[in-house]
Amino acid sequence: MRFRDYPVAGEVEAVETAIWLTEVAGLSKNGQRVLDHLAAANRDANPELMRLALKLATGAGKTTVMAMIIAWQTVNAVRHPTSKQFTRGFLVCAPGLTIKDRLRVLQPNDPDRYYVSRELVPGDMFEDVNRAKIVITNYHPFQLRERIELSKGGRHLLQGRGRGGAGHPRNRRPDAPARDASSYGHEEHPRHQ
């Protein structure tokens, strides 16, 4: 018999906190105070981008929490398409390639998807979850890249024989023979015959 992974108390509490902040907090004075405090902290830290962090220890179920939040947001976005509170689009940024690969279970079309294997949504809601648009990446695409100036010759060398490179037909001298990469080093030079 296989042990099934169901959400545990800490995972459920984290998601309930996100739901409360989104759907309930604004309905009371104390809740509105919490929202105002979070908004002020976000304005100071990073204007124009409202952020909320949920802190969970290693092994506490962060992937399950992400799956539950994706399911909650997506089902509500599909069933209430005019609401501005919910979304079907998600960007998940992992700290490295190994974790990125493990997060594939967040994709609704993955064979091991958590929505089904952990029974996070009833069967009649899975088609709604299937409409989520999820991009899973790691932090590398967001890193600043160093720019260096290259000469025209250096640029052609780095571009290689592909489009625009020195070996591209448009850039080859008309009298130069056409060669593919497999012929380099395998023909005798005419001067050495």
Side-chain angles (χ1 to χ4, degrees), residues 7-22 52-57 60-70 72:
V8 296
E11 296 165 341
V12 172
E13 187 176 327
V15 176
E16 286 175 341
T17 300
I19 293 171
W20 182 81
L21 287 168
T22 303
L52 175 66
L54 301 171
K55 185 177 180 181
L56 285 91
K62 292 180 285 295
T63 304
T64 302
V65 169
M66 287 187 272
M68 289 192 289
I69 289 174
I70 289 169
W72 158 62

Side-chain angles (χ1 to χ4, degrees), residues 132-179:
K133 304 293 182 200
I134 304 168
V135 174
I136 301 173
T137 188
N138 59 347
Y139 71 92
H140 295 96
F142 301 106
Q143 287 184 307
L144 293 176
R145 291 182 170 80
E146 183 179 342
R147 292 192 170 272
I148 59 173
E149 293 294 322
L150 290 176
S151 67
K152 186 175 181 180
R155 203 170 27 259
H156 284 297
L157 179 67
L158 289 175
Q159 289 174 336
R161 295 177 49 82
R163 182 178 166 93
H168 192 273
R170 286 190 317 218
N171 299 327
R172 192 172 50 237
R173 291 188 341 254
D175 60 329
R179 295 172 59 173

Side-chain angles (χ1 to χ4, degrees), residues 26-86:
L27 303 176
S28 71
K29 276 186 188 177
N30 286 336
Q32 189 58 52
R33 255 190 302 238
V34 171
L35 292 176
D36 292 343
H37 174 75
L38 291 172
N42 271 283
R43 264 192 314 276
D44 293 343
N46 193 13
E48 300 180 36
L49 178 63
M50 180 63 175
R51 297 179 296 171
L52 175 66
L54 301 171
K55 185 177 180 181
L56 285 91
T58 301
K62 292 180 285 295
T63 304
T64 302
V65 169
M66 287 187 272
M68 289 192 289
I69 289 174
I70 289 169
W72 158 62
Q73 280 284 312
T74 303
V75 168
N76 279 290
V78 169
R79 295 187 177 194
H80 307 285
T82 59
S83 174
K84 301 285 186 203
Q85 280 185 307
F86 306 108

